[in-house]
Amino acid sequence: MVDTAEQQAYVEKLTADATELKAGYDKYAADAAEYKVGFDKYSADAAEYKAGYDKLLVDSTEQKAQYDRDAAVQQAYVGKLAADAAELKAGYDKYAADAAEYKAGYDKL
């Protein structure tokens, strides 16, 4: 026959083991919740960094487009200045030729 004290000790050991297992599970659940909070923060940070990168990409694309527009305007301005300079040189060359012609006519007198 099994001793009642022995049964009582066995039940108490099972109860202690179950309590220990529950404490281990509760710690595991708390750690998992803590890891989830950390993961959620990491995910939020990653999304924030990606948004920042996307904004930087859009901003740099817009800046390049602005630079290209400015460069085209400056190139057109330089082209106009070159055309104006060529027109002024042609006018000066005509003036110099006319002056030489007038001087030749004056020298002939």
Side-chain angles (χ1 to χ4, degrees), residues 3 7 9 25 28 34 41-42 46 50-51 67-68 73 78 95 98 100 103:
D3 185 11
Q7 286 179 345
Y25 175 78
Y28 170 78
E34 185 178 331
K41 181 178 181 330
Y42 171 78
K50 183 180 181 321
Y67 171 79
D68 290 347
V73 167
V78 167
Y95 169 78
D98 289 349
K103 182 177 182 317

Side-chain angles (χ1 to χ4, degrees), residues 13-100:
K13 181 175 180 341
L14 286 178
T15 303
D17 289 348
T19 302
E20 187 178 330
L21 284 173
K22 182 172 180 332
Y25 175 78
D26 289 348
K27 181 175 181 336
Y28 170 78
D31 287 349
E34 185 178 331
Y35 292 141
K36 183 178 181 324
V37 167
F39 178 77
D40 289 348
K41 181 178 181 330
Y42 171 78
S43 295
D45 288 350
E48 185 178 331
Y49 292 141
K50 183 180 181 321
Y53 173 78
D54 289 348
K55 182 179 182 323
L56 178 67
L57 188 61
V58 168
D59 288 351
S60 64
T61 302
E62 288 174 356
Q63 287 174 349
K64 182 181 181 317
Q66 182 62 46
Y67 171 79
D68 290 347
R69 286 189 299 269
D70 290 349
V73 167
Q74 289 175 354
Q75 190 64 33
Y77 183 68
V78 167
K80 182 175 179 341
L81 287 177
D84 289 350
E87 186 179 331
L88 284 173
K89 184 175 181 324
Y92 175 77
D93 289 348
K94 182 177 181 328
Y95 169 78
D98 289 349

